[in-house]
Amino acid sequence: MNLKTATEIGKCLSNQTRVQIMEWLKDPEKHFPPHETLKHFNDGVCVTYIKEKAGLSQSTISTYLTNMEKCGILMSTRHGKWSYLKRNEETIKAYINFIS
Amino acid sequence: MNLKTATEIGKCLSNQTRVQIMEWLKDPEKHFPPHETLKHFNDGVCVTYIKEKAGLSQSTISTYLTNMEKCGILMSTRHGKWSYLKRNEETIKAYINFIS
DNA sequence: CAAACATATCTATAAATATCGATATGACAT
DNA sequence: ATGTCATATCGATATTTATAGATATGTTTG
């Protein structure tokens, strides 16, 4: 982990909704309904569900998630027309190691 | 640690200089000259030294440090006319626990 | 291939943050 | 008490970020 990446992660974690998204994704079963098509949460949660939970516009949430993926704290998997997001614990660990 | 505090800490860590300050304060001996009056780094480093190292104005650095103290990641001790800043590992640990 | 749906990107504006100079406050030394 | 030094706060402006609507792209389904 270098200074630049750490700062980008800090920016992602400088907004209440984005911090909440990170919290929600710790335990998707607890915070999101099961997806109609995919029956599991192995790859996380789709953009629409996160958008509904957060109560912000689709474009705003999409931007959030894109940036969170860019700096590495989230990872996304496409399943058909849906994008699933989950926490990237590797990067999170590296970040924690950097600041502690 | 609650959502609000975690977000405030995220804001502090969303700027390159502030992240660097946190890094520098991990090992003051390595990054700062010994203070003329105080011979030790037990309470950290004074504002002026941090300002000089960062290369920003006194008012900017003072604002940074005040906010970093408010959210708990730094703690300050007055020794005469100097304010010494050091990391508050307790809060940092709590924050890490919150996001991991 | 057209329609429908999910997500991403673009563009614009509102809101928040960054940064500094000026000034105020607090602490020591004379 | 006054001058000096260290730090804090205020006020103003520049820059960045937030946010959403519109539009584009990609994917499935009929």
Side-chain angles (χ1 to χ4, degrees), chain B residues 11 14-15 18 56-60 63-64 78 80-81:
Chain B
K11 286 183 191 187
S14 71
N15 168 291
R18 290 191 298 258
L56 293 173
S57 76
Q58 184 268 324
S59 69
T60 298
T63 304
Y64 283 6
R78 263 248 175 203
K81 48 185 174 175

Side-chain angles (χ1 to χ4, degrees), chain B residues 82-98:
Chain B
W82 297 281
S83 250
Y84 288 79
L85 278 303
K86 70 172 173 182
R87 290 165 56 101
N88 184 345
E89 302 294 350
E90 282 293 304
T91 305
I92 294 167
K93 233 175 278 177
Y95 178 63
I96 282 169
N97 202 51
F98 186 85

Side-chain angles (χ1 to χ4, degrees), chain B residues 24-36:
Chain B
W24 294 335
L25 290 179
K26 277 185 188 174
D27 194 354
E29 289 86 346
K30 194 175 164 183
H31 298 286
F32 300 96
H35 196 270
E36 284 166 33

Side-chain angles (χ1 to χ4, degrees), chain A residues 11 18 57 59-60 64 78 80:
Chain A
K11 285 183 192 185
R18 290 189 299 258
S57 76
S59 70
T60 298
Y64 282 5
R78 262 244 175 206

Side-chain angles (χ1 to χ4, degrees), chain A residues 10-66:
Chain A
K11 285 183 192 185
C12 285
L13 300 179
S14 71
N15 167 292
Q16 197 148 317
T17 301
R18 290 189 299 258
V19 174
Q20 275 188 305
I21 291 171
M22 292 303 287
E23 295 299 304
W24 295 334
L25 290 178
K26 277 184 186 174
D27 193 354
E29 289 86 346
K30 194 173 163 185
H31 298 285
F32 300 97
H35 195 271
E36 284 166 35
T37 308
L38 235 57
K39 299 300 182 200
H40 58 78
F41 287 105
N42 297 353
D43 293 317
V45 179
C46 75
V47 178
T48 303
Y49 284 6
I50 296 172
K51 158 189 130 21
E52 272 159 19
K53 179 102 177 161
L56 292 173
S57 76
Q58 183 269 324
S59 70
T60 298
I61 294 296
S62 180
T63 304
Y64 282 5
L65 298 174
T66 299

